[in-house]
Amino acid sequence: MKVFDVVVVGARCAGSPLATMLARRGLSVCLVDRAHFPSDTPSTHIIQPSGVQVLEELGVLDAVMAAGAVSLDRMTMVIDDAVRIEATVDPTITTPRGVCIRRVTLDALLVDAAAAAGADVRTGLRVTNLITEDGRVTGVETAGGPIHGRLVVGADGRHSTIAALAGAREYHVAAPGKMFAWAYFEGVRDREGHARLGRRGDLGFLAGPTDGDLYMAAIAIDMAKQAEFHANRDANFTAGLRAWPELAEVVGGGRRVGPIRVLTNWHGYFREAAGPGWVLVGDAGHFKDPSPGQGIGDAFRQARRLARSIEEGLGDTSLDEAMRRWWQWRDDDAYEMHWFANDFGMPGATTPFRTRLMKEVAAEPAPKQILLGVLNHDVRPSQLFTNRLVFRAAARTLRDRPDRLFATLKEIVGAGKQNALRSRRRRLVPA
């Protein structure tokens, strides 16, 4: 009976990179996924520079670009007509600062890389149960028979089979603010690597050119309005795009290809990430509001750190302790960004106070660069929204909008209490 060092369940943007990294370290790895690839999945399309660095480390970046991924050299962020932030890439940087690619293209390339690295890749295979011995997970049961391993990794997304079978509980749960709808357009002339991110009224936007000579445009609608949206999806999606005239003009000359896709059934969470013989990575262990578009890059980030922890744990026979340390690292790494994304995607229109906060960021070069660092997960949000910045924005909001004096004061006090509560709960990890 063969016993793998690691069995990875889920072969998308967390599982395949992890399998590649482990196989290159000389570990025996079995990579399992119920899907056959190429296979699409709901996802943002943008990979921040930190994620592009991992693609380069994996040796996959050239293949990704050859498959038609678009290098993102410019970003525009807007809030109504009050805030506009433009950012361009330093022309001396040769590696793409960010890329935009569909998951149907990306995931297949990542699976191929895992196989080339020496992982035993088994797609089209569904996991049905965990194998345990004396309370410890020692493998998985599948439709094709058992697979044994010293460690089982759940990289199988939000609806993780491994998390459910292991009984991983959720904490730091965040209710969804918006549902997401997106579509692809062909014949759009804007192919110059320009990503657009915005909020107008109660709608959010994310758009950019992607592989296949397509343009992806997404809108975010308040969850409370999802029944209204579905009543006439085509008309409401078109009306949503027109709410941002700049984006409507970009896609106006194109033709929509395929259906309007939606993501409605989601919420933010952390899950217990490790136990005897098992560990969770990527969306299986943590999911946050997709509005900032950080999911793919964070999956790469976690896989790289977990690969190092697994190697250390298998090497010195303290695997469970190594997984526990990795769990603690993940929570510390993701906590602030979790709530930043939650606030970023909150329902309703942006309030005058929050608009003023972003005005302060846009007004000077230094905060603007810090914002880019936050979106790249290089900088913690608290390093951008300092007490000084928040107090200045609050004072100017009260000065400029005396008609909203009590509403603004209530919002500021509420935000302060909420941040204090989040700080106290930061170290909360289930026993």
Side-chain angles (χ1 to χ4, degrees):
M1 179 183 69
K2 176 163 183 167
V3 178
F4 291 92
D5 289 318
V6 184
V7 179
V8 181
V9 180
R12 295 190 182 273
C13 59
S16 281
L18 176 65
T20 299
M21 295 171 191
L22 294 174
R24 288 179 180 172
R25 285 168 162 82
L27 301 180
S28 60
V29 183
C30 185
L31 179 62
V32 182
D33 199 294
R34 64 184 178 182
H36 291 284
F37 294 87
S39 169
D40 206 359
T41 190
S43 173
T44 54
H45 295 51
I46 292 173
I47 308 176
Q48 285 81 10
S50 58
V52 173
Q53 291 174 3
V54 176
L55 286 176
E56 193 165 35
E57 293 168 11
L58 291 169
V60 179
L61 181 57
D62 288 344
V64 165
M65 301 310 296
V70 177
S71 174
L72 299 176
D73 303 317
R74 180 183 169 197
M75 182 198 77
T76 296
M77 176 185 287
V78 303
I79 299 177
D80 298 312
D81 294 323
V83 178
R84 186 177 185 90
I85 298 175
E86 298 276 4
T88 55
V89 175
D90 184 339
T92 63
I93 298 176
T94 56
T95 300
R97 185 68 185 271
V99 300
C100 189
I101 185 170
R102 293 171 299 161
R103 291 290 297 277
V104 69
T105 305
L106 174 65
D107 291 353
L109 294 173
L110 294 173
V111 171
D112 289 345
D120 182 344
V121 177
R122 305 183 189 183
T123 56
L125 185 61
R126 185 183 296 272
V127 169
T128 58
N129 211 339
L130 295 175
I131 301 171
T132 60
E133 185 175 330
D134 297 328
R136 182 178 187 80
V137 173
T138 58
V140 294
E141 294 283 1
T142 75
I147 304 173
H148 299 272
R150 297 169 64 189
L151 178 70
V152 171
V153 179
D156 48 344
R158 291 182 296 121
H159 306 294
S160 170
T161 298
I162 301 304
L165 292 172
R169 292 173 293 170
E170 294 184 352
Y171 54 103
H172 299 323
V173 174
K178 294 184 180 293
M179 61 162 284
F180 299 88
W182 69 100
Y184 301 106
F185 297 81
E186 64 179 8
V188 174
R189 290 190 298 273
D190 186 350
R191 300 288 304 170
E192 300 303 316
H194 185 179
R196 289 178 168 84
L197 183 67
R199 289 192 64 142
R200 292 184 66 86
D202 60 2
L203 287 172
F205 300 88
L206 179 65
T210 190
D211 63 296
D213 291 325
L214 298 173
Y215 191 92
M216 186 277 298
I219 62 174
I221 306 105
D222 282 1
M223 277 291 186
K225 295 184 176 180
Q226 79 174 277
E228 176 186 335
F229 176 81
H230 289 305
N232 193 338
R233 189 180 290 187
D234 284 4
N236 289 323
F237 183 76
T238 300
L241 292 179
R242 288 175 180 163
W244 189 4
E246 178 180 330
L247 179 58
E249 184 178 352
V250 170
V251 301
R255 184 179 70 86
R256 200 184 86 208
V257 179
I260 297 168
R261 296 160 169 85
V262 297
L263 174 64
T264 58
N265 180 24
W266 71 273
H267 65 280
Y269 57 81
F270 287 75
R271 286 188 183 130
E272 294 173 311
W278 63 271
V279 66
L280 302 178
V281 66
D283 289 351
H286 165 57
F287 187 79
K288 64 178 178 294
D289 192 301
S291 296
Q294 294 183 328
I296 301 174
D298 282 354
F300 292 167
R301 177 190 191 89
Q302 290 186 17
R304 178 166 57 185
R305 179 68 178 236
L306 181 56
R308 189 187 316 156
S309 297
I310 290 173
E311 182 183 32
E312 293 171 355
L314 290 173
D316 63 13
T317 69
S318 59
L319 180 59
D320 290 349
E321 179 57 31
M323 295 304 93
R324 179 79 182 188
R325 289 195 301 270
W326 181 84
W327 176 4
Q328 292 170 338
W329 171 86
R330 184 211 63 182
D331 279 18
D332 182 64
D333 181 68
Y335 188 76
E336 281 196 28
M337 202 64 69
H338 175 66
W339 294 116
F340 170 80
N342 182 73
D343 294 344
F344 200 85
M346 66 172 45
T350 306
T351 65
F353 171 56
R354 292 184 181 276
T355 299
R356 186 76 223 190
L357 266 177
M358 295 309 298
K359 266 190 174 182
E360 298 298 324
V361 171
E364 299 179 23
K368 193 186 301 185
Q369 288 302 311
I370 296 173
L371 172 63
L372 294 178
V374 170
L375 294 175
N376 193 39
H377 208 145
D378 285 333
V379 178
R380 294 181 185 270
S382 58
Q383 294 175 259
L384 172 63
F385 299 108
T386 60
N387 288 337
R388 180 181 178 185
L389 181 72
V390 171
F391 291 150
R392 186 168 70 233
R396 289 176 176 175
T397 304
L398 294 171
R399 179 198 65 191
D400 297 341
R401 294 295 304 270
D403 58 311
R404 286 184 52 90
L405 176 65
F406 293 108
T408 299
L409 285 172
K410 183 179 179 181
E411 181 185 2
I412 292 169
V413 171
K417 290 180 178 178
Q418 185 180 64
N419 288 335
L421 180 62
R422 289 173 180 176
S423 294
R424 288 197 301 271
R425 290 180 174 176
R426 184 183 185 101
R427 300 298 176 188
L428 174 64
V429 176

